[in-house]
Amino acid sequence: MTNTFVIASLYIALFIFGQRLISHWISRLAVNKQVSDTRAKLVTQYISYLFFGVMACLTVVSLGIEYQQVSLFISSVFAVLGVALVAQWSILSNITAGILIFFVFPYRIGDRIKVIDKDEDVSGVIVEISLFHVLIKRQDKIVITYPNNLMLQKGVLKLPKTAAKTQPQTQDKDHTQVQSD
């Protein structure tokens, strides 16, 4: 009985320590990447859920419940989630893409970008990057909501902050003088 209590306490302490470490790491990464606090908290929350699931499985297995029973329960949960999310696969892919964008997306809020899309001109300034979509404000003040999964699938060009003014081309003039009568 005391052995079970010690093991459970050890896993709880490990979870709390790991949770704080992950939260601190994501907060520091968010500051370095200039990401909003709301988005950092959302990513922290999703990773915490995943970490909790892993720690709960390890705790259950360590407490003596048979591995086959645990694996049957986990596979049942994943089967139910799979069936529930098959119809909404785009939501799952947008969440996954949103987390990936948090860690590896080279563009920030305020950057001018152009998504290479043959159907529509998707270019402008990034206004917001959320877990499901990126808001892009075009020059004509129209805001485009672009899904995260498409942002990772298509090519994205980073444009200069301000459009360079085109210099009028000076024509080479003949420097010979023309005499007028």
Side-chain angles (χ1 to χ4, degrees):
M1 180 72 167
T2 58
N3 192 20
T4 305
F5 180 72
V6 169
I7 291 173
S9 299
L10 180 66
Y11 278 115
I12 290 171
L14 186 62
F15 173 74
I16 292 171
F17 176 73
Q19 175 74 18
R20 288 184 181 171
L21 190 67
I22 289 170
S23 178
H24 179 69
W25 178 67
I26 291 174
S27 296
R28 196 173 38 184
L29 188 64
V31 168
N32 288 343
K33 291 187 167 238
Q34 300 172 348
V35 177
S36 69
D37 290 336
T38 306
R39 191 164 152 233
K41 287 178 185 177
L42 201 56
V43 169
T44 302
Q45 184 179 15
Y46 282 119
I47 291 176
S48 296
Y49 289 153
L50 180 66
F51 185 58
F52 176 77
V54 169
M55 292 303 291
C57 290
L58 287 174
T59 304
V60 168
V61 169
S62 297
L63 292 178
I65 297 176
E66 291 183 27
Y67 176 73
Q68 292 173 342
Q69 293 174 343
V70 173
S71 65
L72 177 66
F73 175 73
I74 291 172
S75 63
S76 299
V77 167
F78 279 122
V80 169
L81 284 174
V83 169
L85 293 175
V86 162
Q88 297 297 326
W89 69 269
S90 63
I91 292 175
L92 187 60
S93 67
N94 277 325
I95 290 173
T96 306
I99 292 172
L100 284 173
I101 285 173
F102 177 80
F103 289 109
V104 296
F105 198 57
Y107 312 109
R108 305 284 168 255
I109 294 174
D111 286 350
R112 288 186 64 236
I113 63 167
K114 178 177 181 157
V115 179
I116 301 172
D117 190 358
K118 64 181 178 182
D119 297 332
E120 182 73 29
D121 177 30
V122 183
S123 61
V125 177
I126 297 176
V127 178
E128 180 184 337
I129 303 173
S130 71
L131 198 59
F132 294 103
H133 58 268
V134 175
L135 295 179
I136 302 169
K137 189 174 193 177
R138 294 193 328 193
Q139 286 183 346
D140 57 0
K141 306 296 184 210
I142 294 175
V143 177
I144 300 170
T145 304
Y146 206 75
N148 285 341
N149 60 352
L150 292 179
M151 200 68 147
L152 290 180
Q153 291 174 8
K154 301 203 179 212
V156 179
L157 301 173
K158 186 173 182 179
L159 303 173
K161 288 274 184 190
T162 56
K165 293 181 181 178
T166 57
Q167 297 291 330
Q169 294 181 353
T170 57
Q171 297 175 353
D172 293 330
K173 294 183 180 179
D174 187 11
H175 293 290
T176 59
Q177 288 184 338
V178 177
Q179 258 185 338
S180 59
D181 290 334

